[in-house]
Amino acid sequence: MSVHSSDTIIALSTGASPAAIAVVRLSGSEAIAKTQLLWRGKPLGEQISHTLHLGWIYTLDNQVLDEVVIGIFKGPNSFTKEDVIEISCHGSPFIVQKIIREFLKIGVRYAEAGEFTKRAFLNGRFDLVQAEAVADVIAAETEAAHQAALYQMRGGFSETIKDLRQQLIHFASLIELELDFGEEDVEFANRQDLMDTVEHIQLVIKRLLESFTLGNVVKNGVPTVIAGKPNAGKSTLLNALLNEEKAIVSEIAGTTRDVIEDQISINGLIFRFIDTAGLRETQDVVEKIGVQRSYEKIKGASLMLYVLDLQQVQTVQAYERELLEAQSFNIPFLMVANKAEFCSNALRAILTQAEAHVLISAKAKQGIDTVKDLIINKVQNNQFKVNDPLLTNIRHHESLSQTLWALESVQRGLKSGLTGDFLAMDIRIALQALASITGEVSVEDLLANIFSRFCIGK
Amino acid sequence: MSVHSSDTIIALSTGASPAAIAVVRLSGSEAIAKTQLLWRGKPLGEQISHTLHLGWIYTLDNQVLDEVVIGIFKGPNSFTKEDVIEISCHGSPFIVQKIIREFLKIGVRYAEAGEFTKRAFLNGRFDLVQAEAVADVIAAETEAAHQAALYQMRGGFSETIKDLRQQLIHFASLIELELDFGEEDVEFANRQDLMDTVEHIQLVIKRLLESFTLGNVVKNGVPTVIAGKPNAGKSTLLNALLNEEKAIVSEIAGTTRDVIEDQISINGLIFRFIDTAGLRETQDVVEKIGVQRSYEKIKGASLMLYVLDLQQVQTVQAYERELLEAQSFNIPFLMVANKAEFCSNALRAILTQAEAHVLISAKAKQGIDTVKDLIINKVQNNQFKVNDPLLTNIRHHESLSQTLWALESVQRGLKSGLTGDFLAMDIRIALQALASITGEVSVEDLLANIFSRFCIGK
């Protein structure tokens, strides 16, 4: 059944006990036989796949451990494609430990982290992108992160990579045609067509690489700093932003309170808010350090909400000084003009018409929804569609960058009139980089197949 | 299927996520139909009981939530005896929350604490003792607690209660004979036989009540205080006691470190050690408070290890002063004579021969096993057998006490020559108290049946 490993592994698959139930999972060629040794119930070997059985787990020296329900999944129709046994026992740490220990005594091995998923990958249940997505699906904290991970787990992203590879192979075949007729100096594929193909592939990869910013944001949230002069209303704004969400977020079991204090989910994206000390020139040494730290925090953020105190800022000149200050950080920002009731006529026109500006009253909670809308717009210039392929994994980003780099080399080669055999080396690198994303184990064979048709010594 | 409730409930049954998988459980007459609404896979209604199915959970508005495995248990062959669906999804708090919310939208109710087990009890899967034992099985931290809970869950304790009830009913039937022939003044069952029967039942109940001390210890551990003069070596003893066990205990996933620091499991019983400030007369106000607290802690403990400093205590007189101090607390104690290398000849004979005395060197870790053996002996005078019925539940203790009280009343009635109809009232109380332990819902009928045969007005 299993191609890569035949030893049987065991692990607790569910969360920390105590709980009503816990599930201990076994996978491997001996999963059923080993379980039978500790089992009192219907003979497991005689049961068909995908069935559930009530019975008891005993120790080797015949002591009752627990009443359990056992689920049988016979390979290849299981998660790992090996035989899998799932033992639903009472959710006591003591029982789980006893059961696992008893299995260790009879030669079952404790699974390494991720080993079930690794086996599923090695046995061809899914590719590497999908395997990685399993961890992302489990870790997802927001709608968008969940949907992006699910999209990858279902093979959506892998399809995109597969498409790219097809295009690269097509390009390789054009080169190959050139090589076959190389001696005759025939140009079957003219240089311009080759250039077009490479450029098209580059364009797709570049778009994917660009989606990493959003993908990273979707997966890890947006560090958003709230800055501005002292008493501009930064904390009031933060509270106003957090308040509405608090009730919803706190419904989520296990969400820690102190994390909620600082982050909210807007349209399924997490924003991690960082409050800062008010920015001002000061002679006080301690405050100076605080302000210094604020500047550092701002530089590390992806987005800044710059809070303008309209009670203080009344003239166009004063506004422009603040705008310059905000721009000086060189990160995307939103100008949040607070205390709208003090807004001077001179400024009203500017503030309501300028892009990425919003007039609010944090205390009265007016304009907060507009702030949220603008925040979302800042992060995603286009409409965010969860079913677009989205780069969320740094490993994928590196492989795609490598692919792009190799293609640029191919492009330079084409321009300088290099012959196909030289171009082939870079294509090989590009294909290998792409294949490493989905972890195609047959990539060597595939490449061998492609390049075996190139003339030797060419 | 279900006698008592037909609405369908849902809850997360496994421990805190994130984890590889989480199991969401539904129970009720509509469990299968409701799940079908969110399910993409084989039609669940057409599947047979005890089968597993791979598929997807969608939201009502057709958004993918997760790839899951569904287990179907059709009533009455399920834990609750109702239709039960178990959804194994990815162990993400986000996914679990989304799935449960989607079910709430379609009229499934969030389960109350223990409601699945409550339904199992109400639908006659097991009695009340067994239902309570489910919680104990999950909470069990040691071998003994686990075995005691398992014994109860498997109905061992219920059997004992059932036996007692049979004996009481037998007694009632003897009384009944008396009543039937009451007018004729015939004594079918002579008074002495009746007395013997009551006394026998009382004896069994008393023994059960006595087992509560051990049962409570098995379930909750033994609060054990370590006392003695300053620098007697109390903390060194505690460390020596803890050290050997630490490695074993820390293997248990989820065991908190700071708990391990204070408790060890000896022969499957938990001992919760409480270190105290050294006991001495002092003028220092703060130290005085500390010593005062030590005295209070000692009074609240079930067992005391009184550490004797042999470097200081050399004479029989000095030893006897310490012994008096130890005895003054009026709790079971073990005299641990530390620093054996300083033991005077005068004391050696006393210390090695006296009961509950042990000569050790805490620093050199000599004699620690003997301390453990003596600790265990102190707690259980007889050999502790896990398959003996053991009273671990305060509710059971109260019901049995009530039964005993009613039987004493019967006994007094017999002695003073009361007629059967008066005795019957107390027997009724005794039977009801017993029946409340296992939660026999038919107890009223049963009693009605028994006492309907008593003559009216008698």
Side-chain angles (χ1 to χ4, degrees), chain A residues 13-16 19-21 50-52 56 58 63-65 73 90-92 94-95 97-98 101 137-138 140-143 146-147 150 153-154 251-252, chain B residues 13-16 19-21 50-52 56 58 63-65 73 90-92 94-95 97-98 101 137-138 140-143 146-147 150 153-154 251-252:
Chain A
S13 292
T14 49
I21 61 172
H50 288 66
T51 53
L52 292 156
W56 294 83
Y58 274 67
Q63 191 191 11
V64 193
L65 275 186
F73 300 84
H90 285 95
S92 135
F94 181 80
I95 290 173
Q97 179 209 25
K98 289 282 279 187
R101 277 191 188 180
V137 164
I138 291 169
E141 284 180 32
T142 64
E143 188 62 44
H146 171 64
Q147 288 296 328
L150 217 51
M153 200 184 79
R154 300 180 84 188
E251 275 180 42
I252 306 173
Chain B
S13 294
T14 49
I21 61 171
H50 288 65
T51 52
L52 292 156
W56 295 82
Y58 274 68
Q63 192 192 10
V64 193
L65 275 186
F73 300 83
H90 285 95
S92 135
F94 181 80
I95 290 173
Q97 180 207 26
K98 289 283 277 186
R101 276 193 189 178
V137 164
I138 291 169
E141 284 179 31
T142 64
E143 187 64 43
H146 171 63
Q147 288 296 328
L150 216 53
M153 200 184 78
R154 301 179 85 191
E251 277 180 36
I252 307 174

Coordinates of all heavy atoms in Angstrom, one line a residue, chain A residues 13-16 19-21 50-52 56 58 63-65 73 90-92 94-95 97-98 101 137-138 140-143 146-147 150 153-154 251-252, chain B residues 13-16 19-21 50-52 56 58 63-65 73 90-92 94-95 97-98 101 137-138 140-143 146-147 150 153-154 251-252:
Chain A
S13 N -4.3 13.1 17.9 CA -4.6 14.0 16.8 C -5.5 15.2 17.2 O -5.6 16.2 16.5 CB -5.3 13.3 15.6 OG -4.5 12.4 15.0
T14 N -6.1 15.1 18.4 CA -7.0 16.2 18.8 C -6.3 17.1 19.8 O -5.2 16.8 20.2 CB -8.3 15.6 19.4 OG1 -8.0 14.6 20.3 CG2 -9.2 15.0 18.3
G15 N -7.0 18.1 20.2 CA -6.5 19.2 21.1 C -6.3 18.7 22.5 O -6.7 17.6 22.9
A16 N -5.8 19.6 23.3 CA -5.5 19.3 24.7 C -6.7 18.9 25.5 O -7.7 19.4 25.4 CB -4.8 20.6 25.4
A19 N -11.3 16.7 27.7 CA -12.4 17.1 26.9 C -13.3 15.8 26.8 O -12.9 14.8 27.4 CB -11.9 17.4 25.5
A20 N -14.4 15.9 26.1 CA -15.3 14.7 26.1 C -14.6 13.6 25.4 O -14.5 12.5 26.0 CB -16.6 15.1 25.3
I21 N -14.0 13.8 24.3 CA -13.3 12.7 23.6 C -11.9 13.2 23.1 O -11.7 14.4 23.0 CB -14.1 12.1 22.5 CG1 -14.4 13.1 21.4 CG2 -15.4 11.5 22.9 CD1 -15.0 12.5 20.1
H50 N -13.8 2.1 6.4 CA -14.8 3.2 6.7 C -16.0 2.7 7.6 O -17.1 3.1 7.4 CB -15.4 3.8 5.4 CG -14.3 4.7 4.7 ND1 -13.2 4.1 4.2 CD2 -14.3 6.0 4.5 CE1 -12.5 5.1 3.6 NE2 -13.1 6.3 3.8
T51 N -15.6 1.9 8.6 CA -16.6 1.5 9.6 C -16.2 1.8 11.0 O -15.0 2.0 11.2 CB -16.9 0.0 9.5 OG1 -15.6 -0.7 9.6 CG2 -17.6 -0.4 8.2
L52 N -17.1 1.9 11.9 CA -16.9 2.3 13.3 C -17.3 1.1 14.2 O -18.3 0.5 14.0 CB -17.8 3.5 13.6 CG -17.4 4.8 12.9 CD1 -18.6 5.8 12.8 CD2 -16.2 5.5 13.6
W56 N -13.3 -2.1 23.6 CA -12.5 -1.7 24.7 C -11.0 -1.9 24.4 O -10.6 -2.8 23.6 CB -12.8 -2.6 26.0 CG -14.1 -2.4 26.5 CD1 -15.3 -3.0 26.1 CD2 -14.5 -1.6 27.6 NE1 -16.4 -2.6 26.8 CE2 -15.9 -1.7 27.8 CE3 -13.8 -0.7 28.5 CZ2 -16.6 -1.0 28.7 CZ3 -14.5 -0.1 29.4 CH2 -15.9 -0.2 29.6
Y58 N -7.4 -2.7 26.0 CA -6.8 -3.3 27.2 C -5.3 -3.1 27.1 O -4.8 -2.9 26.0 CB -7.1 -4.8 27.2 CG -8.4 -5.1 27.9 CD1 -9.6 -4.7 27.3 CD2 -8.4 -5.8 29.1 CE1 -10.9 -5.1 27.9 CE2 -9.6 -6.1 29.7 CZ -10.8 -5.8 29.1 OH -12.0 -6.1 29.7
Q63 N -5.4 -5.3 31.5 CA -6.0 -4.4 32.3 C -6.9 -3.5 31.4 O -6.4 -3.1 30.4 CB -4.9 -3.5 33.0 CG -5.4 -2.7 34.1 CD -4.3 -1.7 34.6 OE1 -3.3 -1.5 33.9 NE2 -4.6 -1.0 35.7
V64 N -8.1 -3.2 31.9 CA -9.0 -2.4 31.0 C -8.4 -0.9 31.0 O -8.1 -0.4 32.0 CB -10.4 -2.2 31.6 CG1 -11.3 -1.6 30.6 CG2 -10.9 -3.5 32.1
L65 N -8.3 -0.3 29.8 CA -7.9 1.1 29.7 C -9.1 2.0 29.4 O -9.3 3.0 30.1 CB -6.8 1.2 28.6 CG -5.4 1.0 29.1 CD1 -4.4 1.3 28.0 CD2 -5.1 1.8 30.3
F73 N -9.9 2.9 8.4 CA -9.8 3.3 7.1 C -8.7 2.5 6.4 O -7.5 2.5 6.8 CB -9.3 4.8 7.0 CG -10.2 5.8 7.7 CD1 -10.1 6.0 9.1 CD2 -11.1 6.5 7.0 CE1 -10.9 6.9 9.7 CE2 -11.9 7.4 7.6 CZ -11.8 7.6 9.0
H90 N -12.0 8.4 25.8 CA -12.4 9.5 26.6 C -11.3 10.5 26.6 O -10.1 10.1 26.7 CB -12.7 9.0 28.0 CG -14.1 8.3 28.1 ND1 -14.2 6.9 28.0 CD2 -15.3 8.8 28.3 CE1 -15.5 6.6 28.1 NE2 -16.2 7.7 28.3
G91 N -11.6 11.8 26.7 CA -10.6 12.8 26.5 C -9.9 13.1 27.8 O -9.9 14.3 28.2
S92 N -9.2 12.1 28.3 CA -8.4 12.3 29.5 C -6.9 12.2 29.2 O -6.5 11.3 28.5 CB -8.8 11.2 30.5 OG -7.6 10.7 31.1
F94 N -4.6 11.3 30.9 CA -4.1 10.0 31.5 C -4.4 8.9 30.6 O -3.5 8.0 30.3 CB -4.8 9.8 32.8 CG -4.3 8.6 33.5 CD1 -3.1 8.5 34.2 CD2 -5.1 7.4 33.5 CE1 -2.7 7.4 34.8 CE2 -4.7 6.3 34.1 CZ -3.5 6.2 34.8
I95 N -5.6 8.8 30.1 CA -6.0 7.7 29.2 C -5.2 7.7 27.9 O -4.7 6.7 27.4 CB -7.5 7.7 28.9 CG1 -8.3 7.3 30.2 CG2 -7.9 6.7 27.8 CD1 -9.8 7.4 30.1
Q97 N -2.3 9.0 27.3 CA -1.0 8.7 27.5 C -0.8 7.2 27.7 O 0.1 6.5 27.1 CB -0.5 9.4 28.8 CG 0.9 9.1 29.2 CD 1.1 9.2 30.7 OE1 0.1 9.1 31.5 NE2 2.3 9.5 31.1
K98 N -1.7 6.5 28.5 CA -1.7 5.1 28.7 C -1.9 4.3 27.4 O -1.2 3.4 27.1 CB -2.8 4.7 29.6 CG -2.6 5.1 31.1 CD -1.6 4.3 31.8 CE -2.2 3.0 32.3 NZ -1.3 2.2 33.2
R101 N 1.3 4.8 25.2 CA 2.4 4.0 25.8 C 2.2 2.5 25.5 O 3.2 1.8 25.2 CB 2.4 4.1 27.3 CG 3.1 5.4 27.7 CD 3.4 5.4 29.2 NE 3.9 6.6 29.7 CZ 4.2 6.9 30.9 NH1 4.0 6.0 31.8 NH2 4.6 8.1 31.3
V137 N -4.6 25.7 6.9 CA -6.1 25.6 7.2 C -6.3 25.6 8.7 O -7.2 26.2 9.3 CB -6.7 24.4 6.5 CG1 -8.0 24.0 7.1 CG2 -6.8 24.6 5.0
I138 N -5.4 24.8 9.4 CA -5.6 24.6 10.8 C -5.3 25.9 11.5 O -5.9 26.3 12.5 CB -4.7 23.5 11.3 CG1 -5.2 22.1 10.8 CG2 -4.6 23.5 12.9 CD1 -4.3 21.0 11.0
A140 N -5.5 29.0 10.3 CA -6.2 30.2 9.9 C -7.1 30.8 11.0 O -7.8 30.1 11.7 CB -7.1 29.8 8.7
E141 N -7.0 32.1 11.1 CA -7.7 32.8 12.1 C -8.9 33.7 11.6 O -9.7 34.1 12.3 CB -6.8 33.7 13.0 CG -5.9 33.0 14.0 CD -5.1 33.9 14.7 OE1 -5.5 35.1 15.0 OE2 -3.9 33.5 15.1
T142 N -8.8 33.9 10.3 CA -9.8 34.8 9.7 C -10.4 34.1 8.5 O -9.9 33.1 7.9 CB -9.2 36.1 9.2 OG1 -8.3 35.8 8.2 CG2 -8.6 36.8 10.3
E143 N -11.5 34.6 8.0 CA -12.2 34.2 6.8 C -11.3 34.1 5.6 O -11.2 33.1 5.0 CB -13.4 35.2 6.6 CG -14.3 34.8 5.5 CD -15.0 33.5 5.8 OE1 -15.5 33.4 7.0 OE2 -15.1 32.6 4.9
H146 N -8.5 31.6 6.0 CA -9.2 30.3 5.8 C -9.5 29.9 4.4 O -9.1 28.8 3.9 CB -10.4 30.3 6.7 CG -11.3 29.1 6.5 ND1 -10.9 27.8 6.8 CD2 -12.5 28.9 6.0 CE1 -11.8 26.9 6.6 NE2 -12.8 27.6 6.0
Q147 N -10.0 30.9 3.7 CA -10.4 30.7 2.3 C -9.2 30.5 1.4 O -9.2 29.6 0.5 CB -11.3 31.8 1.8 CG -12.7 31.8 2.3 CD -13.5 30.6 1.9 OE1 -13.4 30.0 0.9 NE2 -14.4 30.1 2.8
L150 N -7.8 27.1 2.2 CA -8.7 26.0 1.7 C -8.5 25.9 0.1 O -8.5 24.8 -0.4 CB -10.1 26.4 2.0 CG -11.0 25.3 2.4 CD1 -10.5 24.3 3.4 CD2 -12.4 25.8 2.8
M153 N -5.4 24.1 -0.4 CA -5.6 22.7 0.0 C -6.4 21.9 -1.1 O -6.2 20.7 -1.3 CB -6.3 22.5 1.4 CG -6.1 21.2 2.0 SD -7.0 21.1 3.6 CE -8.6 20.7 3.0
R154 N -7.3 22.6 -1.7 CA -8.2 22.0 -2.7 C -7.4 21.9 -4.0 O -8.0 21.4 -5.0 CB -9.5 22.7 -2.9 CG -10.3 22.7 -1.6 CD -11.6 23.5 -1.8 NE -12.6 22.6 -2.4 CZ -13.8 23.1 -2.8 NH1 -14.0 24.3 -2.8 NH2 -14.7 22.2 -3.3
E251 N -16.6 35.6 20.8 CA -17.3 34.4 20.7 C -16.4 33.2 20.3 O -16.8 32.1 20.5 CB -18.4 34.5 19.6 CG -19.7 35.2 20.0 CD -20.6 35.3 18.9 OE1 -20.7 34.3 18.1 OE2 -21.3 36.3 18.8
I252 N -15.3 33.5 19.7 CA -14.4 32.5 19.2 C -13.8 31.8 20.4 O -13.1 32.5 21.2 CB -13.3 33.0 18.3 CG1 -14.0 33.8 17.2 CG2 -12.4 31.9 17.8 CD1 -13.0 34.5 16.3
Chain B
S13 N -16.5 18.3 20.7 CA -16.3 17.2 21.7 C -14.8 17.0 22.1 O -14.5 16.4 23.0 CB -16.8 15.9 21.2 OG -18.2 15.9 21.1
T14 N -13.9 17.6 21.2 CA -12.5 17.4 21.5 C -11.9 18.6 22.2 O -12.5 19.6 22.3 CB -11.7 17.0 20.2 OG1 -12.1 18.0 19.2 CG2 -12.1 15.6 19.7
G15 N -10.6 18.5 22.5 CA -9.9 19.5 23.2 C -9.6 20.8 22.4 O -9.9 20.8 21.2
A16 N -9.0 21.7 23.1 CA -8.7 23.0 22.5 C -7.8 22.9 21.2 O -6.9 22.2 21.2 CB -8.0 23.9 23.5
A19 N -5.1 21.9 16.5 CA -4.7 20.5 16.6 C -4.9 19.9 15.2 O -5.5 20.6 14.3 CB -5.4 19.7 17.6
A20 N -4.5 18.7 15.0 CA -4.6 18.1 13.6 C -6.1 18.0 13.3 O -6.6 18.4 12.2 CB -4.0 16.7 13.6
I21 N -6.9 17.4 14.2 CA -8.3 17.3 13.9 C -9.1 17.8 15.1 O -8.6 17.8 16.3 CB -8.8 15.9 13.5 CG1 -8.5 14.9 14.6 CG2 -8.1 15.5 12.2 CD1 -9.1 13.5 14.2
H50 N -22.7 3.3 11.8 CA -21.3 3.0 12.0 C -20.5 3.0 10.8 O -19.7 2.1 10.6 CB -21.2 1.6 12.8 CG -21.7 1.7 14.2 ND1 -23.0 2.0 14.5 CD2 -21.0 1.5 15.3 CE1 -23.1 2.0 15.9 NE2 -21.9 1.7 16.4
T51 N -20.7 4.0 9.9 CA -19.9 4.1 8.7 C -19.3 5.5 8.7 O -19.8 6.4 9.3 CB -20.7 3.9 7.4 OG1 -21.9 4.7 7.4 CG2 -21.1 2.4 7.3
L52 N -18.2 5.6 8.0 CA -17.4 6.9 7.8 C -17.4 7.4 6.4 O -17.3 6.6 5.5 CB -16.0 6.6 8.3 CG -15.8 6.3 9.8 CD1 -14.5 5.5 10.0 CD2 -15.7 7.6 10.6
W56 N -17.4 17.2 2.1 CA -17.1 18.6 2.4 C -18.3 19.2 3.2 O -19.5 18.9 2.9 CB -16.9 19.4 1.2 CG -15.7 19.0 0.4 CD1 -15.5 18.0 -0.4 CD2 -14.4 19.6 0.5 NE1 -14.2 17.9 -0.8 CE2 -13.5 18.9 -0.3 CE3 -13.9 20.8 1.2 CZ2 -12.2 19.2 -0.5 CZ3 -12.6 21.1 1.1 CH2 -11.7 20.4 0.2
Y58 N -20.3 22.7 3.7 CA -20.5 24.0 3.1 C -21.3 24.9 4.0 O -22.1 24.4 4.8 CB -21.2 23.8 1.7 CG -20.2 23.6 0.6 CD1 -19.5 22.4 0.5 CD2 -20.1 24.5 -0.5 CE1 -18.7 22.1 -0.6 CE2 -19.2 24.3 -1.5 CZ -18.5 23.1 -1.6 OH -17.7 22.8 -2.6
Q63 N -20.6 28.3 0.5 CA -19.1 28.6 0.6 C -18.5 27.3 1.3 O -19.1 26.8 2.2 CB -19.0 29.8 1.5 CG -17.6 30.4 1.6 CD -17.5 31.4 2.7 OE1 -18.3 31.5 3.6 NE2 -16.4 32.1 2.7
V64 N -17.4 26.9 0.7 CA -16.7 25.7 1.3 C -16.2 26.1 2.7 O -15.6 27.1 2.9 CB -15.4 25.4 0.5 CG1 -15.0 24.0 0.9 CG2 -15.6 25.4 -1.0
L65 N -16.5 25.2 3.6 CA -15.9 25.4 5.0 C -14.7 24.4 5.3 O -13.7 24.9 5.7 CB -17.0 25.2 6.1 CG -17.8 26.4 6.3 CD1 -18.8 26.1 7.5 CD2 -17.0 27.6 6.7
F73 N -23.8 7.3 13.5 CA -24.3 6.3 14.5 C -25.8 6.5 14.5 O -26.3 7.5 14.9 CB -23.7 6.6 15.8 CG -22.2 6.6 15.9 CD1 -21.4 7.7 15.6 CD2 -21.5 5.5 16.4 CE1 -20.1 7.7 15.7 CE2 -20.1 5.5 16.5 CZ -19.4 6.6 16.1
H90 N -10.7 19.8 10.3 CA -9.4 20.2 10.6 C -9.5 20.9 12.0 O -10.4 21.7 12.2 CB -8.8 21.2 9.6 CG -8.4 20.4 8.3 ND1 -9.2 20.3 7.2 CD2 -7.2 19.8 8.1 CE1 -8.5 19.6 6.3 NE2 -7.4 19.3 6.8
G91 N -8.5 20.8 12.8 CA -8.5 21.2 14.2 C -8.2 22.7 14.3 O -7.3 23.1 15.1
S92 N -9.0 23.6 13.6 CA -8.8 25.0 13.7 C -10.0 25.6 14.5 O -11.1 25.3 14.2 CB -8.7 25.6 12.3 OG -9.5 26.8 12.2
F94 N -11.2 28.4 14.2 CA -12.0 29.2 13.2 C -12.9 28.3 12.5 O -14.1 28.6 12.4 CB -11.0 29.8 12.2 CG -11.7 30.6 11.2 CD1 -12.2 31.9 11.5 CD2 -12.0 30.1 10.0 CE1 -12.9 32.7 10.6 CE2 -12.7 30.9 9.0 CZ -13.1 32.1 9.3
I95 N -12.5 27.1 12.0 CA -13.3 26.2 11.3 C -14.4 25.6 12.2 O -15.6 25.6 11.9 CB -12.5 25.0 10.7 CG1 -11.6 25.6 9.6 CG2 -13.4 23.9 10.2 CD1 -10.7 24.6 9.0
Q97 N -15.7 26.9 14.9 CA -16.7 27.9 15.2 C -17.6 28.1 14.0 O -18.8 28.2 14.1 CB -15.9 29.2 15.5 CG -16.8 30.4 15.8 CD -16.1 31.7 15.4 OE1 -15.2 31.7 14.6 NE2 -16.5 32.8 16.1
K98 N -17.0 28.2 12.8 CA -17.8 28.4 11.6 C -18.8 27.2 11.4 O -20.0 27.5 11.0 CB -16.9 28.5 10.3 CG -16.1 29.7 10.2 CD -16.9 30.9 9.8 CE -17.0 30.9 8.2 NZ -17.7 32.2 7.8
R101 N -21.6 27.4 14.0 CA -22.5 28.6 13.7 C -23.4 28.2 12.6 O -24.6 28.6 12.6 CB -21.7 29.8 13.3 CG -21.2 30.6 14.5 CD -20.6 31.9 14.0 NE -20.0 32.6 15.1 CZ -19.4 33.8 14.9 NH1 -19.4 34.4 13.8 NH2 -18.8 34.3 16.0
V137 N -13.8 9.5 34.7 CA -12.9 8.8 33.8 C -12.1 9.9 33.1 O -10.8 9.8 33.0 CB -13.6 7.9 32.8 CG1 -12.7 7.5 31.6 CG2 -14.1 6.6 33.5
I138 N -12.7 10.9 32.6 CA -12.1 12.0 31.9 C -11.1 12.8 32.8 O -10.0 13.2 32.4 CB -13.1 12.9 31.2 CG1 -13.8 12.2 30.1 CG2 -12.4 14.2 30.6 CD1 -15.0 12.9 29.5
A140 N -9.7 11.7 35.5 CA -8.7 10.9 36.3 C -7.3 11.2 35.9 O -6.9 11.3 34.8 CB -9.0 9.4 36.0
E141 N -6.5 11.4 37.0 CA -5.1 11.8 36.8 C -4.1 10.7 37.1 O -2.9 10.8 36.8 CB -4.7 13.0 37.6 CG -5.2 14.3 37.1 CD -4.8 15.5 38.0 OE1 -3.8 15.5 38.6 OE2 -5.6 16.5 38.0
T142 N -4.6 9.7 37.8 CA -3.7 8.6 38.2 C -4.3 7.3 37.9 O -5.5 7.2 37.6 CB -3.5 8.6 39.8 OG1 -4.7 8.4 40.4 CG2 -2.9 9.9 40.2
E143 N -3.5 6.3 38.0 CA -3.9 4.9 37.7 C -5.1 4.5 38.6 O -6.1 4.0 38.1 CB -2.7 4.0 38.1 CG -2.9 2.5 37.8 CD -3.0 2.3 36.3 OE1 -2.3 2.9 35.5 OE2 -3.9 1.6 35.9
H146 N -8.2 6.4 37.8 CA -8.7 5.9 36.5 C -9.4 4.6 36.7 O -10.5 4.4 36.2 CB -7.5 5.8 35.6 CG -7.8 5.1 34.3 ND1 -8.7 5.6 33.4 CD2 -7.4 4.0 33.8 CE1 -8.8 4.8 32.3 NE2 -8.0 3.8 32.6
Q147 N -8.8 3.7 37.4 CA -9.4 2.4 37.6 C -10.7 2.4 38.3 O -11.7 1.7 38.0 CB -8.4 1.4 38.3 CG -7.2 1.0 37.4 CD -7.6 0.2 36.1 OE1 -8.6 -0.6 36.2 NE2 -7.0 0.4 35.0
L150 N -13.3 3.8 36.0 CA -13.6 2.9 35.0 C -14.5 1.8 35.6 O -15.5 1.3 34.9 CB -12.3 2.3 34.4 CG -12.3 2.0 33.0 CD1 -12.7 3.1 32.1 CD2 -10.9 1.5 32.6
M153 N -17.8 3.2 35.7 CA -18.4 3.4 34.4 C -18.9 2.1 33.8 O -19.9 2.0 33.1 CB -17.4 4.0 33.5 CG -18.0 4.7 32.3 SD -16.8 5.4 31.1 CE -16.3 3.9 30.3
R154 N -18.2 1.0 34.2 CA -18.6 -0.3 33.7 C -19.7 -0.9 34.5 O -20.1 -2.1 34.2 CB -17.3 -1.2 33.7 CG -16.2 -0.7 32.8 CD -15.0 -1.7 32.9 NE -15.2 -2.7 31.9 CZ -14.4 -3.8 31.9 NH1 -13.5 -4.0 32.8 NH2 -14.6 -4.7 31.0
E251 N 6.2 13.5 31.3 CA 5.9 12.8 30.0 C 4.4 13.1 29.6 O 4.0 13.0 28.5 CB 6.1 11.3 30.1 CG 7.5 10.9 29.8 CD 7.7 9.4 29.9 OE1 6.7 8.7 29.5 OE2 8.7 8.9 30.4
I252 N 3.6 13.3 30.6 CA 2.2 13.5 30.4 C 1.9 14.8 29.7 O 2.2 15.8 30.2 CB 1.3 13.4 31.7 CG1 1.7 12.1 32.5 CG2 -0.2 13.5 31.4 CD1 1.0 12.1 33.8

